[in-house]
Amino acid sequence: VGKLGKRVAVAEQVQVGGTCVLRGCVPKKLLVYSSEFSQSFRDAKNFGWSVDWARFDWPTLRDNVHKEVNRLSDIYSTNLNAANVEVIEDRAIVQDAHTVRLTREGRSVTAERILIAVGGHTYRPTDIKGQEYGITSTDAFLLDELPASILIAGGGYIALEFATVFAGLGVETTVIYRGERVLRGFDHEVRAHVHNEMQRAGVKIISGATIGEIAPLANGKKLASLSNSMQMEVDQVLWAVGRAPNTNGLGLENAGVVLNERGAVVVDAHSRTNVPSIFAVGDVTDRVNLTPVAIREAVAFVNTEYLDKPDAMDHADIASAVFCSPSVGAVGLSEEDARAKGHKLRIFRTTFRAMKNVFAGNEQRTLMKLVVDQNTDRVLGVHIAGQDAPEMIQLAAIAVKAGLTKAQWDATCAVHPTAAEELVLMGEPVAH
Ligand code: NDP
């Protein structure tokens, strides 16, 4: 909007970059890369390499990640500058439909439009005794030392990604999940595959249980009492039980902006709130809480409000990835969602051990699954759990978004030898 010649100011209370750059996707992915080396060192042996001397140093990784995050944040600041955007280092609180108050400076600023893009924060179950002895994902990036053991509460994206990171770095890792199989919302076969593969790789998963209480011990460890009567003594407990919109104390009620029961800003397809001059995009609206979605919502806002091109983010068929091990990539409908929508289905599935894993003696298997509408032959969903699934799903998402049929997938010649070629070689549907 600044580049369009409008006067724009951004109020930022901490550091430019947001959750993704500062304490989410970016630093997380760097930790994941680091954690993958331990498996690579084990896999290397049959390829002729011996790396018995490998040592890991947490402060080196932590500080380098921190430096990289700061470098990226600086680039964002530079870009804002170049777009003639004024960055105000302060917390803004909405005063009325056109005014925000800057809490440190104490002055008020008015604008024709206010865009709320404040994201969310890690949620802690405040009703659990001793919950404050647990850390959140934000704290996990800053630990003084790597724990010898960790208990992670939750079975979603953050729980599994951090379980993968810590396990890969040699930490004794346990996940405690209240449901039966991790990754609710994903296809049931992906959930079972990831659940089993993570356990096989050494992450302990306790299902159907929650943490009832955490107590500090004299030796610096924490004693977690679980709902299944178990007790665990661990170095750290990590809460990964979801995130909540950052609307507390934001003053939206001063302008009469409607929030939902989770505290998220209620918006229409054009990210408009019930107040004509106030808009909201990203996690604060709790639609699909992913960075590229927030960016698209923001682009649609600019197109609609400043370029006279009414535009709305299409929230259908958004691909997503979980950077656990095995990693997950999914786009479109799961088998159960497709059936619930009334589709008659043909299901194509393959599981295999990638060539590299067979040679290395690595037991990890890959699962690929296509959910196909029996009447139209359209591929409604693609689900992958295995190495490089996030990279594969980005490309598969183009085909799903374009509405291609299984016959068109099959007409695409394989690239050999790759794991991805299996996606165009699934000949026969599985019997149901
Ligand atoms: P998720 O919603 O993915 O998972 C939360 C987990 O915590 C679920 O397993 C949930 O169980 C469990 N849970 C919720 N409340 C409680 C409770 N009171 N007691 C015990 N367990 C509980 O949240 P995350 O925190 O993992 O991530 C937040 C969001 O951030 C994600 O949904 C995603 O949108 C985004 N994200 C995306 C990433 C990516 O794209 N790779 C990476 C990280 C985050 P149940 O399943 O039963 O509800």
Side-chain angles (χ1 to χ4, degrees), residues 18-349:
T19 300
C20 178
V21 173
L22 303 176
R23 59 194 94 85
C25 329
V26 172
K28 176 275 307 289
K29 184 106 190 250
L30 294 172
L31 295 193
V32 169
Y33 279 133
S34 174
S35 72
E36 286 172 348
F37 280 93
S38 55
Q39 184 62 51
S40 300
F41 292 146
R42 287 195 289 278
D43 290 351
K45 210 168 160 209
N46 282 355
F47 289 94
W49 291 90
S50 80
V51 277
D52 304 333
W53 38 263
R55 290 280 174 281
F56 173 72
D57 183 57
W58 166 253
T60 301
L61 172 64
R62 180 199 58 206
D63 296 349
N64 285 341
V65 167
H66 198 62
K67 263 186 240 155
E68 179 61 4
V69 161
N70 284 337
R71 189 183 70 83
L72 295 172
S73 173
D74 286 347
I75 291 174
Y76 278 83
S77 296
T78 306
N79 290 347
L80 285 171
N81 237 327
N84 294 321
V85 173
E86 181 189 354
V87 178
I88 303 170
E89 291 172 5
D90 208 338
R91 174 171 172 78
I93 291 179
V94 175
Q95 246 178 341
D96 63 39
H98 292 283
T99 315
V100 298
R101 188 166 54 81
L102 301 170
T103 52
R104 276 197 289 269
E105 291 185 24
R107 67 182 166 115
S108 292
V109 177
T110 59
E112 192 182 5
R113 294 181 184 84
I114 297 173
L115 178 67
I116 309 292
V118 294
H121 61 274
T122 46
Y123 159 79
R124 282 165 175 275
T126 43
D127 52 335
I128 290 178
K129 196 170 166 206
Q131 57 79 17
E132 66 275 18
Y133 297 110
I135 60 170
T136 65
S137 55
T138 306
D139 308 317
F141 293 113
L142 306 170
L143 289 171
D144 287 337
E145 55 188 42
L146 193 67
S149 58
I150 191 162
L151 174 63
I152 302 177
Y157 286 81
I158 296 181
L160 298 196
E161 290 179 344
F162 274 93
T164 295
V165 165
F166 283 116
L169 297 181
V171 178
E172 193 185 324
T173 304
T174 306
V175 169
I176 177 164
Y177 175 52
R178 65 182 177 182
E180 197 191 330
R181 289 275 177 273
V182 295
L183 287 182
R184 189 166 61 83
F186 283 81
D187 186 274
H188 68 282
E189 290 188 89
V190 165
R191 296 174 67 184
H193 187 80
V194 171
H195 196 103
N196 297 337
E197 281 290 327
M198 283 190 78
Q199 294 213 92
R200 194 195 43 69
V203 174
K204 190 172 167 196
I205 304 180
I206 301 172
S207 308
T210 52
I211 296 175
E213 183 180 342
I214 308 172
L217 297 174
N219 60 6
K221 294 187 175 225
K222 279 99 193 167
L223 183 70
S225 304
L226 314 184
S227 61
N228 61 5
S229 327
M230 268 176 73
Q231 288 204 314
M232 286 187 70
E233 200 179 306
V234 288
D235 288 316
Q236 293 287 0
V237 178
L238 170 66
W239 293 115
V241 292
R243 295 178 58 86
N246 269 338
T247 49
N248 248 348
L250 200 60
L252 288 165
E253 65 285 355
N254 298 332
V257 174
V258 172
L259 307 181
N260 70 14
E261 67 291 346
R262 292 198 70 238
V265 180
V266 177
V267 289
D268 67 8
H270 298 288
S271 298
R272 291 186 288 224
T273 70
N274 60 310
V275 178
S277 58
I278 302 186
F279 302 78
V281 293
D283 287 13
V284 77
T285 63
D286 198 23
R287 286 177 278 184
V288 179
N289 298 332
L290 300 172
T291 303
V293 175
I295 293 170
R296 288 278 174 119
E297 288 166 359
V299 169
F301 159 74
V302 174
N303 285 341
T304 307
E305 294 299 316
Y306 292 95
L307 294 173
D308 210 15
K309 288 190 293 188
D311 189 7
M313 162 76 195
D314 175 8
H315 290 89
D317 295 331
I318 295 167
S320 74
V322 191
F323 294 91
C324 51
S325 181
S327 57
V328 174
V331 62
L333 298 177
S334 64
E335 180 179 344
E336 46 275 42
D337 284 350
R339 288 195 198 286
K341 281 180 182 275
H343 292 278
K344 291 255 177 301
L345 299 178
R346 289 194 301 154
I347 300 294
F348 296 81
R349 178 201 315 120

